[in-house]
Amino acid sequence: MGSLKVTLCAGAALATALCAPAAYTYAADGGVSVSPSSPAPGTDVTLRVPDCTEKTAVAVSAAFESDVRLSLAAGDGVLVGSSQVRTSVRAGAYAVQVKCGDQAHKGTITVHDGRRPSTHASPVAPVDAGGGGTAELAASDAGAGARVDPPGTAHTVTGLVLAGIAAVAVALRSVRSRSRGTD
């Protein structure tokens, strides 16, 4: 049974490792990856620079609110840092430059205008898909079998009695568990 758990965990870890990079979109021209590659103004972005000989670096772009400090995130030699796209930046492509020791790495970030597209790939509002068994009741104002009056005193008393019975059952169960010495 232990080897089955190890196999399942290893499979899940492998699937995560293979699928995780697909969750990001990158813009990589000359070694600088920006995720997401097409953010709106005010969006947080993450920069990654592989193959850098230094442990830290600074990324510069007119699209960022400030210079981005990059540092090693893991032992894989990739520098990582994050920043925010200026809220006042206009839509367009902006260069990203990183000086890494004697090397210069470049990339591009494409800022979009932040407006939503006019068409959506999936519905964004309730879809008129019929009412199933309630269609007849919804068709008329009150419906033939629809309740006009709200629940009354009898319904309230019934609900309180049921809640009391549930509370007593829980209390008896906890008393029995304590007397046995188990939780």
Side-chain angles (χ1 to χ4, degrees):
M1 185 59 132
S3 64
L4 179 62
K5 287 182 183 178
V6 171
T7 304
L8 290 175
C9 288
L14 179 63
T16 303
L18 292 176
C19 294
Y24 297 99
T25 53
Y26 291 108
D29 294 338
V32 178
S33 300
V34 181
S35 172
S37 62
S38 296
T43 303
D44 291 330
V45 292
T46 302
L47 282 76
R48 297 176 55 87
V49 180
D51 303 326
C52 185
T53 57
E54 303 295 320
K55 293 183 179 182
T56 62
V58 176
V60 179
S61 176
F64 300 145
E65 286 187 348
S66 62
D67 294 348
V68 183
R69 296 216 172 263
L70 305 170
S71 60
L72 286 174
D76 58 1
V78 177
L79 296 178
V80 179
S82 61
S83 184
Q84 189 174 42
V85 177
R86 288 187 299 131
T87 56
S88 61
V89 73
R90 294 182 186 259
Y94 293 88
V96 179
Q97 297 178 354
V98 177
K99 177 103 170 146
C100 186
D102 294 337
Q103 298 176 325
H105 296 275
K106 295 180 181 181
T108 303
I109 182 171
T110 304
V111 178
H112 66 81
D113 60 5
R115 288 182 285 172
R116 299 184 82 146
S118 59
T119 60
H120 298 280
S122 61
V124 293
V127 177
D128 186 13
T134 62
E136 288 181 21
L137 297 175
S140 64
D141 290 336
R147 177 183 295 154
V148 177
D149 298 328
T153 306
H155 292 101
T156 304
V157 171
T158 302
L160 289 174
V161 168
L162 290 174
I165 291 171
V168 168
V170 169
L172 287 175
R173 182 174 172 94
S174 65
V175 167
R176 286 183 186 162
S177 294
R178 282 192 207 131
S179 67
R180 291 185 198 155
T182 63
D183 272 333

